[in-house]
Amino acid sequence: MTYSYTSSTDRGFDETVARVKTASPTTEVIVTVTNPSVMDLLATYRVGAFEVVTRPFQASDVASAIFTGVERRKSAQDAAALLREGQSLLTVRDREHLPALAVDFARRSMKADVVSLMLKDTAGRLYIAHAHGLPADLLAGSRLQIGQRVAGRV
């Protein structure tokens, strides 16, 4: 996260943002400026500023922008990790372990307590191939027709 103050007489603060984004593309840049023109604002956002806070401002305005920037960066990192992990599922060669890996992936990525993977059996009914957090007695004999209600709440 980079924070930059620019006075109303400074022009070209979009160039500063561009230099920061070139050096570190994942950095969230917040600029504070007094009386920016619409053209300056557009140019600043185009080169990658995350937020422009105009002066005068309250401390909460900057704090909110920083908090949102940190959350955005964390979300991007989480999404990248999720993508890498999801792609690793595609490389699994041992098909017998795939349902367990898929359930574990879904549980962690969705931060869920209960997750199940249902597959079709030879008769076309759904069965629970693997689950986390479900009672054992539910796992063994559950068979549902496709289209039959599976979950009461999601």
Side-chain angles (χ1 to χ4, degrees), residues 38-79:
V38 171
M39 295 307 290
D40 286 337
L41 286 173
L42 289 173
T44 303
Y45 281 116
R46 279 189 191 121
V47 295
F50 167 68
E51 185 68 79
V52 176
V53 179
T54 58
R55 289 182 157 283
F57 58 82
Q58 300 294 316
S60 61
D61 297 332
V62 174
S64 176
I66 291 170
F67 177 77
T68 304
V70 168
E71 287 297 310
R72 179 176 158 164
R73 175 110 185 235
K74 184 176 179 338
S75 292
Q77 290 170 338
D78 290 349

Side-chain angles (χ1 to χ4, degrees), residues 29-40:
V29 181
I30 300 170
V31 177
T32 60
V33 64
T34 306
N35 299 322
S37 71
V38 171
M39 295 307 290
D40 286 337

